[in-house]
DNA sequence: TTCAACAAAACGAGCGCTCTTTTTATTATA
DNA sequence: TATAATAAAAAGAGCGCTCGTTTTGTTGAA
């Protein structure tokens, strides 16, 4: 939620760190580098964040909340369960396209290496939200009755996989072109009433 | 390929590092810790590996080769394409159960953070091998004709997702019980002749 | 004059790694 | 088989450096 950051210095740090943490890893980005690249002094950094770890927490909280909100509105706008799946794919792909670093930080970074006690990303708020959504749709009979582990893996697995291919640089194309065909495949695996 | 390591010291380092690198991250495991935990001196470590990075490379090469071999034999033993998919799932789940650290190191660790020039894991030998296999089966008409990105994501995405749930500690159960239902879901998404 | 906001030097801990010394294993010679 | 000569392996103190952090100093607005 960059728009929530009022402090200009904080925003500078946010914008730089989310890029570099995602690209080079938390341990490979020192305070001195952050200072140099943002043009801020170490004093300014430590005035705004009491530790390097706090920066990482701030990024984590901001990024997961942003993703959560995007998913929430995507699901709410959908008229039915199947439509919602397509919306989730679409919004995640869209987000990856317009803010690759943020998605890298959310999906790709091993937060537990430097954020003690952080929940694994699949237990973070956005993913828990999706899980509850899937559970509901199974109860309603929209999706086939299957183990939650299986259902969520069949749905989220392929989506995350495609995003990671993009993040790894394997995929050069715009992800949006994959929304439709991926959706078709996923639906076949979980939808009750075969199309 | 632990059985290939003749040197006892190297094996000690291998066994310890693959655990600790996977658990705490490469940067959080220093030479002194490796020395302390293995009972070896820093001299002994540097006599066997010319740098800390070389240890990581050794782990990477050994681990990916082991996975590759397991997948190769699994595919070769299978009588048809669909059977092969189940074998791949089974062998990866099996490997996760019996050597969680190794799979964590292969699938979970961000190698590019400390191994310069390493290919992303989805471009490593085991995964390239699977990709070629899928391509063949599409040409043969076993799987539906679809973009390779879509096909491999629909197949590998859910498998990797389940393994990651296990690695994150979300899944406590033996993965083998998920082989069958996951296979059924995946097949529906890519198989040509609907069952 | 006070204080928020930042600048920048300095601190101690810990890092990867090297170097010299010591121990252990291997080989050659009688 | 015993012993001297050599090589391989391991030990561990210490070096130079970078890290996250702290401390002290400066500046401009209220």
């Amino acid at each position: 939620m960059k728009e929530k950051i009022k402090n200009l210095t904080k925003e500078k740090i946010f914008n730089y760190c989310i890029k570099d943490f995602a690209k080079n890893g938390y341990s490979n980005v020192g305070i001195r580098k952050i200072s140099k690249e943002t043009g801020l002094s170490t004093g300014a950094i430590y005035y705004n964040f009491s530790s390097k770890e706090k920066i990482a927490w701030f990024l984590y909280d901001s990024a997961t909340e942003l993703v959560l909100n995007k998913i929430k509105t995507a699901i709410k706008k959908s008229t039915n369960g199947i439509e919602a799946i397509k919306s989730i794919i679409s919004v995640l792909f869209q987000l990856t396209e317009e803010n690759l670093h943020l998605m890298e930080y959310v999906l790709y970074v091993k937060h537990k290496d430097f954020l003690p006690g952080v929940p694994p990303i699949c237990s973070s708020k956005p993913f828990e939200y999706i899980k509850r959504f899937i559970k509901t749709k199974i109860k309603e009979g929209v999706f086939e009755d299957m183990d939650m582990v299986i259902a969520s893996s069949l749905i989220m697995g392929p989506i995350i996989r495609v995003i990671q291919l993009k993040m790894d640089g394997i995929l050069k194309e715009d992800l949006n072109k994959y929304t439709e065909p991926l959706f078709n495949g996923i639906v076949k695996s979980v939808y009750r009433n075969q199309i």
Side-chain angles (χ1 to χ4, degrees), chain A residues 72-87:
Chain A
K72 269 186 180 172
T73 57
I75 289 182
K76 276 176 188 158
K77 267 198 289 184
S78 309
T79 50
N80 60 61
I82 290 300
E83 187 82 5
I85 295 286
K86 195 192 276 190
S87 293

Side-chain angles (χ1 to χ4, degrees), chain A residues 16-106:
Chain A
Y16 178 73
C17 286
I18 204 148
K19 266 184 226 169
D20 211 11
F21 284 1
K23 194 178 179 194
N24 297 314
Y26 177 81
S27 299
N28 297 312
V29 183
I31 297 295
R32 268 161 266 266
K33 193 180 176 195
I34 300 170
S35 162
K36 197 179 177 185
E37 297 292 322
T38 57
L40 298 162
S41 65
T42 58
I45 296 170
Y46 273 88
Y47 182 80
N48 285 276
F49 296 96
S50 54
S51 70
K52 187 185 168 189
E53 196 184 302
K54 284 277 163 62
I55 300 178
W57 274 112
F58 181 68
L59 298 187
Y60 181 86
D61 291 336
S62 308
T64 53
E65 200 180 315
L66 173 65
V67 175
L68 174 62
N69 287 333
K70 291 263 185 186
I71 288 175
K72 269 186 180 172
T73 57
I75 289 182
K76 276 176 188 158
K77 267 198 289 184
S78 309
T79 50
N80 60 61
I82 290 300
E83 187 82 5
I85 295 286
K86 195 192 276 190
S87 293
I88 291 173
I89 299 174
S90 179
V91 83
L92 289 176
F93 283 1
Q94 192 60 43
L95 209 50
T96 306
E97 284 300 329
E98 68 195 21
N99 206 334
L100 186 65
H101 300 305
L102 188 133
M103 283 299 270
E104 267 190 89
Y105 191 78
V106 171

Side-chain angles (χ1 to χ4, degrees), chain A residues 110-123:
Chain A
K110 285 196 70 188
H111 306 96
K112 67 156 191 172
D113 281 359
F114 49 93
L115 295 182
V118 76
I121 198 65
C122 58
S123 300

Side-chain angles (χ1 to χ4, degrees), chain A residues 149-178:
Chain A
V149 171
I150 301 296
S152 70
S153 296
L154 285 170
I155 293 171
M156 293 307 292
I159 302 173
I160 294 173
R161 190 87 191 126
V162 170
I163 293 175
Q164 284 188 335
L165 288 174
K166 177 85 181 197
M167 295 191 303
D168 278 338
I170 312 292
L171 266 181
K172 310 287 185 193
E173 296 92 340
D174 191 309
L175 286 191
N176 294 296
K177 84 173 231 206
Y178 292 111

